[in-house]
Structure formats: structure tokens, C-alpha cells
């Protein structure tokens, strides 16, 4: 029978009669206007309420049910075509049958009562009313259509409905009144839903729904293998391919999403459905599906490429924040938008949590599993319940991967842990760098790669324990491992180390392997890189040396120190050992042990005893087999060995020591090659000195006197050459050559600076001071010799210095260049030396200099003029004139040539009587007053107008040419012009005028020889 001929007849059980269906509906409405109103309200609620935007999903769900009902088991296909304002949904599978049509027009009763169907209430098709007034279903078994206009006309013909229809604005239930449609479905499909769209708004809504088709549709409807969406000729094809291990690939054109799918289900206990609708109770089954998006390697991607809402199986409005798609048979409220509360929901939440934990455990055993652990805030009430249930389930699920120790020492998996995995409650998380070395020490340790970033948040939510540094260090305390294993531990700790010192404090007890096989507790005080140190150093310092295979920079940061030779030299214990080494050697200890250790450190560090003076106390074996402090040994062929006296208190260093360590290392600890030096950053002047230098106390006393003996006087940057007193007398030219070299020269020529009373005084350094006072220049003291270009006053007084040193060095040694450089005592002594040939002018100059710089002790001899020539006499046989008219009272004693104004000071300095300073002589003769010639008064302003002339002039028992006493000038008549000239000059206080007056007198008188000599004596007084 053709499909057209069977359209309105039920001649078989599978055929449907639309006319009969319409008749029964219209009869029902005629019998009850309320029934009409209920049908209209119900259809309106579905079309405009719960299914207003679910059209595409409902069409797909119907297609999936049709595919499942098909007898051949072929996966279904759905094609959604929008063109020219018409939406066509064509699907394969079981065609439309009579129960299906009855269900469509009933609005309340579903024909899908079997446990395998998806639709549950027979109301999903009502979604078509939201967009179309003329929907149709065309199937291979026949078709039906609906028409809003025809339904309205049919309803208006029913008595009593016209007023109700008018009240509803002409609206009637569209889907209650079907008409036959003999149009076949598109070729290749069994059924097609045809929806001429009502208007532009409806078309826009449909376009939006078609654009929202996503892979989740095929995952929720597994009976659909393919969905094609064609809009205005543009085709989009989604296809589901099921692979091994429940992997489903959704091909969306060129794009592919991969999903790990786990489906579960079963029968429901009757009690769970007590509050649910009857037709829902007819199907007492549950199902839960999880679909986890994965990458090409099968690892979860951690993000959901579809809307994150619960699906039941159509999308609800329940947001989920999990990185997986949940499709479950949740009970829905009447709006079909939300999951209804109650025991059934709680039951399905628990099953969903179990399924989630199961699918997580089926994923690759990699840290990417943690991407599925719920973290962060919940997206809604259902999401919060799911998260709590999932976390509770995961706490007992052994899905974490334990680290595998390279060399197990204790079980890596704690007792009770599931085989092959760790439960979060049993797991311990550490930074990746620590995992491998600690895997055999700390049980339950997670494999590397599970911490960091989002993984840390997931582990924290799961309650995985992260031990602190103190606990890690305690766990390491008993570990018996090789040094390279410890190095790996330190690498890990260094990577994971907290930034602040306070947070690192627990590492103070970190075990560290030593070269002697011990395990030290804590890095502080340990030595890095000391494996090559001499055993004597290790023993002397009681060093704990880190094994080289375990030496890591972290240990340095935690208190270990490098085996730096310079640093080890500064160890107080080493210094104490060096300072005690000589006494220990005298007691029988082998000096070579410590000597080799210290010499090795000195050679490696470049240190010298100049920086560490105590090194010179290191006991070294001498050539005679006896121990000596290094500072008391000479290199056998060293420079100093050929310069000192044979009885100098030095030994000769053992030749084998020279061969073993070389000259430089021995010299660095104080063994003498050339001259040794001493140095101090600061030296007080208040004391005898601390450097065992010859006459050091005398030099300091000299410095104190030179700066006024200030209490706070100190020398800044003191340095000196030692052992000068031991030099042989015949080698001083060679010694001075050495001292004038670059290394030692500064200690001679550069002054020291004395800080006293807030002032800075440059002074002669010790070395120059000592050399100046010893016969180092051809057997003479440098300060007793003069330079070749010295001042003339020194030439007869001092011998010239030999040309052994340059001028600067000679000056530093004290070689005299001017009279002011000389010592007054030495000058006075040399002036009294009869062997010294000095002219009268030089003697007069020297006497003036001594008057200003008196010697500390008066000399035993003095040089004066007697009988017209210079003579050396005892001080008692000499006089100094303090006034020119006292010369006659010399009485044959030598008169010291000097200026009148210094006569008193010179007499005091040399212990010689001063004439004219104390005890005057009376004038014994009687004279007569005379007027001073006007010519003299003109030449000498201020001259008295008169004088007393005597014939002869007698004073103190002597005849004198002139005398000036009590302001009166007395003149001998026989020497009137000489007396007037000398007396007038002296009287006015300008002795230089007497030369002019004397010349005049000499021209006027025939003066005797003795008078001329007396005049010369007077000239000396200028």
C-alpha cells in the first residue's frame, strides 16, 4: 500500500490515523474547555520555557533515540539544514510509528519508556513551537504535519471554545491536531523534521543554536556518530570516532578534540525515585558519563572546550568548573533547567565522584593527572557538591606516582599504600630537585614533576603533606650514602632553598661527608677544597674537610669555608701552633711536619711574614740539625749570610728544606736572604719599642723630645730594616747599595709621621736614624761627614763623604749639606780640634751658630785669637768680649771671635768668661773736658757734644785708648782720633761706623802695630 493511501487509516498496528487523533482531541476539548486551556498552557510552557533554546539539542536527542531503536545497530547520523527560512533535521534510524505520533500530540506522555532511550517525558518536540507555526515530520512510514491556522479553524468550530480562543489572542495548541504529510524524507535518511521558521527572529535564534553545536553533543548522545550542520550551503560536519581505551575523537572539520570517556550506570533503588514523576519511575536506571579532554598523548588538557554545564543529557543551567564534561541522569525540576535536590541527586553526585576518580586513574600516570583535581572556588551549588565528593573519593584513590629510589634503603612506598600508586593521604611532596636523591630515604615521596605551579595547589587541596626543611634534615641524619649522593642532595636543596637566612636555619644540622669517612652534622666550620692540604695543617687546625665528591657551593653559603691558603693562615689555631712550634721542637717534636704545612700555605697564598710577623716564629730545621725560629735562620747562599758577623745569632737553614720549598717560600716565613723588615700600622712613642730593633728605645725617645713628648704621640705606618747592628764593618758599601735599592730605600729616605697633639710631624725614620749614628761610610758616621757641595762653613770642619750613595740617600743618612744639619756638640768639638785648619771668618761664623744652638755639654777646648793668630785653648784661657773697650782686659787670654750681640750667649754655651758683662773697672786718671769735633758730630748724629781727654787714660791699672762708662766717653790724648772714632760709634750704638772713623784716625796718626792689631780684634766683634 502506498504511503498516501494509508495516511488516515490504522489498518496495521504501525500505522497512524491523524483524522482519528484530531477527532479525539477535538472531542475532549468540546467536553471540557478546561482541557483546552490546559493543553494550550502546557504547550506554551514548553515552547517558551524549558525548551525555548533547546530545539537543536532536542532534535539531536530524538535522532539518537531513533538510531538506538534501529534494529541494525548502526550509529545514527543527523543533518541539520537551514535554507530559505526552513530548518530541516534529517536523521537515520527507526522511522516514525504510531506510538511516536501519539506521544507527539499528547504533550504529556512519552513513548520512550524503555531503559535505553534518552528522552523521558515526550515533551521535547514542543520546542519546535518556539520557531515554527507549520512543523512537519516526514518518515519512511508516513508523515504528519501541523498548522497553526488549520488548528485554529478546527478549534473555533468546537462549541464553547471561540471565547477562550479570542481570550488567548487566537492561539490554540498547535501540536494537538496533526494532519497527514505524504512527503518523503530526504534520500538516505529515515526521518526528517521540517520547520518553516516563523519570522526573522526565529531564524536568528535557529542560526545561533546551530552555531552552538559542539563536540559535547556527540559525547552526550553516543548513538549519534555524525552531525552535519548546513547553513545557506555551508556545511560543517562533526563525527565521533571511538578508539581504544575509551578514547573518543570528535572531528569537527579539520579540528579534532580527543576525549577520555568513562560511562557508568545501573538500576536505581526504588526509594531514590519516591519523589519523582511516575514516568521517570517507570525507568529506574541511572547513568553517569565523564568525558575528559586530552591531548594527542592522552594527557588531560586541563581545560574544557565546551560549555561547562552539567548535561542530563541536554545541557542544564547548572555551571560546573571542572575540566571535564559531565553527562548524567540527574533529576530535573519542572523548568528542565536545574537539577532537582533530593536523594537521587545525592546518589548521582556520589556515583559521579567515583567515576571521576576512576577516569583520573585511567589517565597516563603523569603529573598531568593533577589537572583534574578540583581547585579554586566552586561555580555553583552542584559544582560545590561534586568537588567535595570528588576530593573525598580522591583521598582514598592511589593515583599518585611514587618516586623510585636509585638505591633503596627504606621502602619508598609506606605501609598500606596501594600497589603501583600512592593515596594522597600517604604521599609526601618535595621539590623536584630533591626527589631523586631522597627517594630512598623518605618513604611515600612523590615522583619528580608533580610539584610546582598548579600542581602545588592540587596537592594542597588533596592534603598531600610537604615536610619542612627541619624534617628533611632529620630524615637525612641516618642516611648511609656515598659522597656523590650527598652532592645530589645539596643540588636539590640549593634549588629548593628558601630565600631568607631565617628560613634556612634548619639546614644548620645538614649532614656532610668528610674525607676521613665521618659524617659531620652541619656545614658550619667545615672546609671545602681542602683534600690537598698537608696532614700537618689538618692536624694542627683540627680541620674537618668536606669530601671532594660532596663539595657543593650550598655548603659554603651555610657556613663552610674554602680551603683558601690565606684564610687558613689566619686561623688562630694555626698561629698558636706556629708560635709554639720552637718550644715543641725543643721538646722533641719533628719541626718538618708543621713547617711543610705552613710553607705550603705560604707558597700558595703569597703571604709573607711582613703581613703576618708571627710566621717568623715557625720552627725550621737548621743545617746543624737544631731547630730555629724562621726569623733566626739565613739562607745558606743568601745575601745576608755574606754580610753579617760570624758570631751573629743566626743559623743556616737546612739545604733539604731549600730544595723542597725554594728560597721564596722560606723568605716569606722570615728566613733571611736579604735584610728583613718590621712593620706596624701604628706605633706608640710611649715605650721602649716592640720590634727588637737595636737602639729602638733611643730612637723613640729622640722622637718624643722632637715633638714635645705629647702623651698621645704615635707613629703612623711604621717600618724599619732590622739586624743592621750585625753587619760586618768591611761590607757597609755593599749594604748601603742594598739599602738604596727599590725594596728597602723607602725605609731610609721617606720620613715617618708622628701624630701628636692634633698635628702631624715628619721625622727621620728609624733606619736612617740608626745609620746616621754608626760608622757606615768609610768607617765614619754619615752625620759626621759633609756632602761635596755642602756650605763653606763645613768644609774645614767635616771631611767629605765618599761617593758611595746618591745625594738623596746621603741626605737621608745624615750627610751634612749645611751647618744647620750638624750636631752642636759635634761642631763645638770639631771647632776645638787643633788638626782642623779654619780661617778666622769661618770660626767667627761657627761661634755665632753655637751661640744660637748651644751644645748639651761645654767642650773641653775652644778656639780663639791670641797673639794675632787662632789658637786652641782651654775655656779658662779664653774670653768673650761683650763690649769693644774691654779688649785690654783679656790679659793675654785668647779672645773668641764673634759678633758683639751673641757674645754673652757664646760665653754661656762654651763656658768662657764674658768681658763687659759683669763687674766694671773705675777710671783712675784725671782728664779734662773737650768738645767733640763738629765733623764727627756731623758723621755721627746723636753723638755727645763733649768727651773727657786723659794723658794717659788709665782704667783698672791699664792704659787704654778709650773707655765708655756711665754715658761718658773717655779718650787717651795719644790716640785721640782712634778713641773718638771707636767711642763715638759705640756711644751711639752703631759699631759699624768705627771703620770710617778709624781710617781717619790712622791717616792722622802714625799708629803703632799693636794698636792696629787691637783694631782688627775689634773688627771681629762686628
Amino acid at each position: 500500500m502506498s504511503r498516501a493511501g494509508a495516511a488516515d487509516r490504522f489498518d496495521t498496528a504501525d500505522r497512524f490515523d491523524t483524522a482519528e487523533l484530531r477527532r479525539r482531541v477535538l472531542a475532549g476539548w468540546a467536553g471540557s474547555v478546561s482541557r483546552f486551556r490546559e493543553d494550550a498552557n502546557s504547550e506554551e510552557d514548553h515552547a517558551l520555557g524549558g525548551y525555548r533554546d533547546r530545539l537543536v539539542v532536542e532534535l539531536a536527542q530524538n535522532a539518537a533515540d531513533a538510531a538506538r531503536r534501529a534494529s541494525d545497530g548502526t550509529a545514527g547520523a543527523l543533518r541539520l539544514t537551514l535554507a530559505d527560512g526552513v530548518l530541516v533535521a534529517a536523521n537515520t534510524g527507526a522511522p516514525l510509528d504510531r506510538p511516536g505520533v501519539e506521544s507527539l500530540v499528547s504533550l504529556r506522555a512519552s513513548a520512550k519508556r524503555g531503559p535505553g532511550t534518552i528522552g523521558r517525558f515526550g515533551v521535547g518536540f514542543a520546542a519546535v513551537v518556539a520557531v515554527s507555526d507549520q512543523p512537519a515530520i516526514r518518515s519512511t512510514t508516513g508523515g504528519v504535519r501541523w498548522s497553526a491556522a488549520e488548528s485554529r479553524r478546527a478549534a473555533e468550530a468546537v462549541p464553547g471554545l471561540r471565547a477562550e480562543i479570542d481570550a488567548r489572542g487566537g492561539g490554540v495548541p498547535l501540536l494537538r491536531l496533526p494532519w497527514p504529510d505524504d512527503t518523503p524524507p530526504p534520500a538516505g535518511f529515515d526521518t526528517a523534521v521540517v520547520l518553516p521558521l516563523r519570522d526573522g527572529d526565529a531564524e536568528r535564534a535557529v542560526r545561533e543554536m546551530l552555531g552552538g553545536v559542539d563536540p559535547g553533543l556527540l559525547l552526550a548522545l553516543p548513538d549519534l556518530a555524525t552531525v552535519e550542520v548546513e547553513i545557506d550551503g555551508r556545511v560543517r560536519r562533526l563525527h565521533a570516532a571511538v578508539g581504544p581505551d575509551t578514547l573518543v575523537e570528535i572531528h569537527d572539520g579539520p579540528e579534532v578534540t580527543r576525549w577520555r570517556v568513562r560511562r557508568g550506570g545501573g538500576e536505581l533503588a526504588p526509594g531514590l525515585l519516591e519523589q519523582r514523576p511516575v514516568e521517570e519511575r517507570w525507568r529506574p536506571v541511572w547513568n553517569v558519563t565523564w568525558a575528559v579532554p586530552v591531548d594527542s598523548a592522552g594527557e588531560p588538557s586541563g581545560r574544557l572546550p565546551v560549555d561547562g554545564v552539567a548535561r542530563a543529557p541536554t545541557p542544564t543551567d547548572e555551571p560546573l568548573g571542572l575540566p571535564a564534561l559531565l553527562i548524567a541522569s540527574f533529576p530535573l525540576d519542572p523548568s528542565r533547567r536545574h537539577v532537582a535536590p533530593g536523594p537521587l541527586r545525592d546518589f548521582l553526585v556520589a556515583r559521579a565522584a567515583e567515576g571521576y576518580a576512576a577516569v583520573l586513574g585511567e589517565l597516563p600516570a603523569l603529573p598531568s593527572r593533577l589537572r583534574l583535581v578540583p581547585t579554586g572556588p566552586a561555580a555553583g551549588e552542584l559544582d560545590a557538591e561534586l568537588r567535595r565528593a570528588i576530593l573525598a573519593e580522591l583521598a582514598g584513590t592511589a593515583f599518585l606516582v611514587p618516586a623510585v629510589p636509585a638505591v633503596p634503603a627504606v621502602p619508598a612506598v609506606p605501609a598500606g599504600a596501594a600497589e603501583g600508586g600512592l593515596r594522597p593521604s600517604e604521599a609526601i611532596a618535595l621539590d623536584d630537585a630533591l626527589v631523586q636523591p631522597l627517594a630512598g630515604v623518605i618513604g611515600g615521596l612523590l615522583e619528580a614533576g608533580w610539584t610546582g605551579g598548579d600542581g602545588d595547589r592540587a596537592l594542597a587541596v588533596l592534603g598531600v603533606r610537604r615536610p619542612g626543611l627541619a624534617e628533611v634534615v632529620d630524615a637525612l641524619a641516618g642516611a648511609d650514602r656515598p659522597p656523590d649522593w650527598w652532592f645530589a642532595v645539596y643540588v636539590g636543596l640549593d634549588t629548593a632553598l628558601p630565600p631568607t637566612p631565617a628560613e634556612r636555619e634548619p639546614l644548620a644540622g645538614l649532614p656532610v661527608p668528610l674525607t676521613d669517612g665521618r659524617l659531620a652534622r652541619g656545614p658550619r666550620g667545615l672546609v671545602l677544597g681542602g683534600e690537598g692540604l698537608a696532614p700537618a695543617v689538618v692536624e694542627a687546625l683540627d680541620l674537618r674537610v668536606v669530601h671532594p665528591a660532596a663539595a657543593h657551593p650550598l655548603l659554603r653559603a651555610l657556613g663552610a669555608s674554602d680551603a683558601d691558603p690565606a684564610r687558613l693562615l689566619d686561623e688562630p689555631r694555626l698561629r698558636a701552633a706556629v708560635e709554639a712550634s720552637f718550644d715543641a721542637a725543643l721538646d722533641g717534636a719533628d719541626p718538618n711536619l708543621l713547617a711543610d704545612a705552613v710553607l705550603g700555605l705560604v707558597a700558595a697564598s703569597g703571604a709573607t711574614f711582613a703581613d703576618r710577623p708571627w710566621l717568623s716564629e715557625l720552627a725550621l730545621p737548621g743545617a746543624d740539625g737544631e731547630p730555629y725560629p724562621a726569623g733566626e735562620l739565613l739562607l745558606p747562599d743568601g745575601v745576608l749570610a755574606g754580610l753579617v758577623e760570624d758570631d751573629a745569632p743566626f743559623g743556616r737553614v737546612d739545604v733539604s728544606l731549600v730544595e723542597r720549598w725554594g728560597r721564596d717560600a722560606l723568605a716569606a716565613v722570615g728566613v733571611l736572604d736579604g735584610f728583613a723588615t718590621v712593620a706596624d700600622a701604628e706605633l706608640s712613642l710611649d715605650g721602649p719599642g716592640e720590634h727588637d730593633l737595636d737602639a729602638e728605645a733611643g730612637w723613640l725617645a729622640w722622637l718624643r723630645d722632637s715633638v714635645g713628648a705629647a702623651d698621645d704621640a704615635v707613629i703612623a705606618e711604621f717600618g724599619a730594616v732590622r739586624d743592621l747592628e750585625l753587619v760586618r764593618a768591611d761590607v757597609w758599601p755593599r749594604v748601603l747599595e742594598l739599602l738604596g735599592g727599590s725594596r728597602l730605600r723607602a725605609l731610609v729616605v721617606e720620613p715617618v709621621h708622628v701624630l701628636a697633639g692634633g698635628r702631624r710631624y715628619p721625622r727621620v725614620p728609624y733606619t736612617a736614624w740608626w745609620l746616621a749614628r754608626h760608622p757606615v761610610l768609610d768607617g765614619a758616621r754619615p752625620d759626621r761627614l759633609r756632602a761635596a757641595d755642602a756650605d763653606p762653613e763645613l768644609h774645614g770642619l767635616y771631611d767629605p763623604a765618599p761617593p758611595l750613595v746618591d745625594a738623596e740617600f746621603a741626605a737621608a743618612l745624615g750627610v751634612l749639606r749645611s751647618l744647620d744639619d750638624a750636631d752642636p756638640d759635634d761642631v763645638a768639638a770639631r771647632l776645638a780640634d787643633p788638626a782642623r785648619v779654619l780661617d778666622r771668618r769661618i770660626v767667627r761664623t761657627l761661634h755665632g751658630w753655637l751661640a744660637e744652638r748651644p751644645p748639651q755639654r761645654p767642650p773641653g777646648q775652644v778656639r780663639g785669637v791670641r797673639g794675632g793668630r787662632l789658637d786652641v785653648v782651654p775655656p779658662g784661657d779664653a774670653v768673650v768680649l761683650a763690649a769693644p773697650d774691654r779688649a785690654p782686659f783679656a790679659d793675654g787670654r785668647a779672645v773668641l771671635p764673634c759678633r758683639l750681640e751673641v757674645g754673652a750667649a757664646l760665653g754661656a754655651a762654651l763656658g768662657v768668661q764674658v768681658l763687659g758683662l759683669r763687674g766694671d773697672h773705675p777710671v783712675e786718671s784725671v782728664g779734662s773736658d773737650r768738645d767733640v769735633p763738629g765733623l764727627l758730630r756731623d758723621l755721627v748724629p746723636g753723638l755727645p757734644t763733649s768727651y773727657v781727654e786723659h794723658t794717659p787714660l788709665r782704667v783698672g791699672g791699664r792704659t787704654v785708648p778709650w773707655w765708655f762708662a756711665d754715658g761718658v766717653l773717655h779718650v787717651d790724648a795719644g790716640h785721640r782720633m782712634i778713641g773718638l772714632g771707636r767711642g763715638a760709634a759705640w756711644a751711639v750704638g752703631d759699631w759699624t761706623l768705627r771703620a770710617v772713623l778709624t781710617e781717619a784716625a790712622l791717616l792722622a796718626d802714625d799708629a803703632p802695630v799693636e794698636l792696629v792689631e787691637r783694631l782688627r780684634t775689634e773688627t771681629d766683634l762686628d
Side-chain angles (χ1 to χ4, degrees):
M1 181 182 294
S2 70
R3 183 175 298 167
D8 285 319
R9 294 168 42 207
F10 285 103
D11 48 9
T12 70
D14 293 328
R15 290 295 180 176
F16 39 84
D17 186 342
T18 57
E20 175 62 22
L21 290 175
R22 290 195 305 274
R23 184 190 62 75
R24 285 191 292 176
V25 171
L26 291 172
W29 289 350
S32 174
V33 176
S34 296
R35 178 64 183 269
F36 171 83
R37 186 182 301 124
E38 289 175 1
D39 287 346
N41 289 340
S42 179
E43 184 176 281
E44 188 178 60
D45 286 344
H46 293 317
L48 302 179
Y51 293 91
R52 65 184 180 275
D53 55 359
R54 304 293 172 86
L55 173 63
V56 171
V57 175
E58 292 298 335
L59 293 174
Q61 184 170 299
N62 288 335
D65 285 337
R68 177 168 292 187
R69 293 198 308 273
S71 59
D72 60 0
T74 303
L78 171 66
R79 185 176 70 184
L80 299 163
T81 305
L82 175 62
D84 301 325
V86 178
L87 173 64
V88 178
N91 64 270
T92 61
L96 183 66
D97 57 13
R98 183 178 62 188
V101 174
E102 291 175 346
S103 174
L104 291 173
V105 300
S106 71
L107 291 178
R108 295 177 180 86
S110 174
K112 308 171 187 177
R113 293 182 176 178
T117 57
I118 299 174
R120 289 177 281 177
F121 307 106
V123 295
F125 188 71
V128 302
V129 180
V131 297
S132 179
D133 291 335
Q134 302 176 65
I137 298 179
R138 298 165 180 168
S139 187
T140 57
T141 56
V144 293
R145 66 179 178 82
W146 292 266
S147 169
E150 293 181 51
S151 295
R152 184 165 53 252
R153 286 193 295 270
E156 288 175 344
V158 176
L161 291 185
R162 184 60 180 263
E164 182 66 27
I165 294 172
D166 290 342
R168 304 184 73 87
V172 298
L174 172 64
L175 299 180
R176 292 288 278 135
L177 301 175
W179 274 267
D181 186 342
D182 290 335
T183 307
F189 293 93
D190 297 300
T191 304
V193 177
V194 181
L195 302 176
L197 301 178
R198 179 180 298 115
D199 51 26
D201 290 341
E203 183 172 347
R204 282 189 291 274
V206 169
R207 286 179 181 272
E208 183 177 350
M209 286 184 275
L210 291 175
V213 173
D214 61 27
L217 184 64
L218 294 179
L219 293 169
L221 306 173
D223 295 298
L224 276 181
T226 303
V227 174
E228 288 185 353
V229 179
E230 180 180 353
I231 303 176
D232 300 330
R234 295 190 301 273
V235 178
R236 175 186 171 207
R237 186 175 188 272
L238 288 83
H239 175 69
V242 180
D245 298 328
T246 67
L247 181 67
V248 177
E249 290 186 346
I250 306 296
H251 296 261
D252 185 358
E255 296 183 5
V256 179
T257 55
R258 297 172 176 84
W259 302 80
R260 174 77 67 178
V261 178
R262 182 179 179 86
R263 305 184 190 276
E267 292 188 8
L268 289 169
L272 296 175
L273 295 169
E274 287 180 355
Q275 305 299 322
R276 302 307 301 161
V278 172
E279 292 205 8
E280 192 171 348
R281 279 180 276 163
W282 285 347
R283 289 184 294 173
V285 294
W286 66 271
N287 57 76
V288 171
T289 297
W290 282 106
V292 178
V294 296
D295 59 20
S296 59
E299 296 188 53
S301 62
R303 64 180 185 85
L304 194 62
V306 297
D307 291 341
V309 295
R311 306 196 181 203
T314 58
T316 69
D317 287 347
E318 298 285 359
L320 297 182
L322 299 169
L325 181 64
L326 173 61
I327 307 154
S329 55
F330 283 116
L332 300 179
D333 65 7
S335 72
R336 322 307 303 153
R337 297 280 177 169
H338 295 284
V339 175
L344 181 56
R345 182 181 73 170
D346 297 341
F347 172 81
L348 290 172
V349 165
R351 303 294 78 75
E354 293 170 358
Y356 195 86
V359 73
L360 188 149
E362 293 169 355
L363 292 167
L366 297 170
S368 55
R369 285 182 172 182
L370 295 178
R371 296 172 185 167
L372 265 64
V373 175
T375 61
E381 180 183 352
L382 180 62
D383 191 37
E385 291 185 14
L386 277 169
R387 286 167 181 263
R388 285 192 291 270
I390 288 171
L391 290 175
E393 191 69 29
L394 290 179
T397 302
F399 72 95
L400 301 177
V401 179
V404 178
V407 182
V410 297
V413 179
E419 182 179 357
L422 283 172
R423 288 184 285 269
S425 59
E426 301 158 340
I428 292 177
L430 288 176
D431 289 88
D432 288 351
L434 288 171
V435 170
Q436 186 55 51
L438 298 184
V441 176
I442 299 178
L445 199 58
L446 274 180
E447 187 179 50
W450 288 71
T451 60
D454 293 338
D456 283 341
R457 287 189 289 274
L459 294 175
V461 169
L462 292 169
V464 173
R465 194 166 63 86
R466 295 198 66 136
L469 280 178
E471 186 175 344
V472 172
V473 171
D474 287 342
L476 291 171
D480 183 13
R481 293 290 192 278
D484 56 350
W485 180 88
W486 285 104
F487 184 88
V489 171
Y490 304 149
V491 170
L493 286 172
D494 193 34
T495 303
L497 201 59
T500 66
E503 291 174 311
R504 298 181 180 189
E505 187 60 32
L507 293 180
L510 184 66
V512 183
L514 305 180
T515 53
D516 60 7
R518 292 180 297 164
L519 193 65
R521 191 68 187 265
R524 188 169 300 280
L526 303 185
V527 175
L528 293 166
E531 58 274 7
L533 293 175
V537 171
V538 176
E539 181 180 351
L541 297 180
D542 190 23
L543 297 179
R544 295 180 299 163
V545 180
V546 176
H547 194 287
H552 187 275
L554 171 65
L555 302 179
R556 184 183 301 107
L558 296 174
S561 56
D562 291 315
D564 176 60
R567 190 197 67 77
L568 291 177
L569 279 175
D570 291 330
E571 281 282 349
R573 288 172 295 178
L574 181 62
R575 176 173 179 171
V578 169
E579 292 173 339
S581 61
F582 180 67
D583 290 338
L586 292 179
D587 291 338
D590 183 1
N592 284 289
L593 296 178
L594 184 61
D596 285 346
V598 174
L599 287 169
L601 294 176
V602 167
S605 66
T608 70
F609 80 99
D611 301 320
R612 297 169 176 82
W614 50 269
L615 285 174
S616 63
E617 300 181 44
L618 176 66
L620 298 176
D624 57 3
E626 295 296 324
Y628 292 84
E632 297 179 12
L633 282 173
L634 301 175
L635 288 171
D637 56 348
V639 174
L640 192 60
L643 299 177
V644 297
E645 299 283 358
D646 293 338
D647 60 352
F650 294 122
R652 298 296 195 271
V653 73
D654 191 319
V655 175
S656 64
L657 207 59
V658 180
E659 294 172 348
R660 191 158 65 250
W661 289 105
R663 302 167 60 89
D664 291 343
L666 292 169
V669 298
V671 175
L672 300 175
D673 182 359
F675 283 100
T677 61
V678 295
D680 242 328
E682 185 177 276
L683 177 63
S684 172
L685 268 61
D686 186 17
E690 304 172 356
H691 305 92
D692 198 24
L693 296 170
D694 183 52
E696 183 178 4
W699 176 64
L700 293 174
W702 175 78
L703 289 178
R704 285 197 299 272
D705 291 342
S706 73
V707 298
D711 293 338
D712 62 346
V714 296
I715 300 171
E717 300 296 332
F718 164 72
V721 178
R722 48 169 270 197
D723 302 324
L724 295 174
E725 73 277 12
L726 304 177
V727 173
R728 296 202 317 268
D730 61 323
V731 297
W732 274 111
R734 171 59 178 156
V735 172
L736 294 178
E737 179 183 351
L738 293 173
L739 296 179
S742 59
R743 185 174 73 89
L744 300 174
R745 183 183 182 89
L747 297 177
V748 179
V749 302
E750 293 184 6
V752 295
H753 293 276
V754 178
L755 308 179
R759 296 183 60 187
R760 188 181 187 91
Y761 300 91
R763 290 294 184 265
V764 175
Y766 166 83
T767 307
W769 181 88
W770 190 94
L771 291 171
R773 286 158 176 75
H774 290 82
V776 301
L777 287 178
D778 281 355
R781 289 174 47 166
D783 62 351
R784 299 297 186 260
L785 299 172
R786 62 173 174 81
D789 57 348
D791 291 345
E793 291 82 1
L794 299 177
H795 279 235
L797 201 61
Y798 289 92
D799 297 332
L804 299 178
V805 292
D806 59 81
E808 181 190 45
F809 196 75
L813 293 181
V815 174
L816 305 176
R817 296 181 60 84
S818 71
L819 188 58
D820 289 339
D821 297 333
D823 176 50
D825 286 273
D826 186 54
V827 169
R830 289 172 179 273
L831 185 59
D833 183 1
R836 301 283 174 186
V837 178
L838 304 171
D839 63 37
R840 193 164 179 164
R841 180 184 62 82
I842 293 297
V843 172
R844 178 176 177 271
T845 299
L846 294 175
H847 279 156
W849 186 83
L850 288 173
E852 296 176 355
R853 299 168 182 78
Q856 294 184 356
R857 295 181 300 278
Q861 299 286 329
V862 295
R863 188 179 295 249
V865 177
R866 183 166 58 181
R869 62 183 183 85
L870 288 171
D871 196 5
V872 175
V873 300
D877 290 345
V879 296
V880 175
L881 298 182
D885 56 352
R886 271 53 173 180
F889 293 91
D891 297 333
R893 291 174 293 180
V895 178
L896 274 57
C898 71
R899 303 187 311 277
L900 281 173
E901 62 268 24
V902 302
L906 179 63
L910 301 183
V912 175
Q913 182 183 0
V914 180
L915 298 182
L917 191 62
R918 297 185 304 274
D920 209 356
H921 299 284
V923 177
E924 297 172 345
S925 60
V926 177
S928 56
D929 293 336
R930 295 284 190 272
D931 291 331
V932 174
L935 179 59
L936 291 180
R937 290 200 302 272
D938 293 339
L939 293 174
V940 186
L943 187 68
T945 58
S946 63
Y947 67 95
V948 179
E949 186 176 80
H950 297 261
T951 305
L953 175 58
R954 298 282 296 177
V955 177
R958 298 169 180 77
T959 299
V960 299
W962 66 278
W963 189 261
F964 186 77
D966 300 326
V968 177
L969 175 61
H970 299 270
V971 178
D972 182 83
H975 304 286
R976 183 168 60 86
M977 291 306 299
I978 292 176
L980 282 173
R982 297 293 189 274
W986 183 250
V988 298
D990 189 355
W991 184 242
T992 60
L993 293 175
R994 96 260 180 234
V996 176
L997 300 178
T998 299
E999 286 297 325
L1002 290 176
L1003 291 175
D1005 299 323
D1006 185 14
V1009 173
E1010 62 273 14
L1011 181 58
V1012 173
E1013 178 55 34
R1014 184 180 301 159
L1015 293 176
R1016 293 185 62 191
T1017 300
E1018 293 172 351
T1019 301
D1020 292 336
L1021 302 178
D1022 290 341

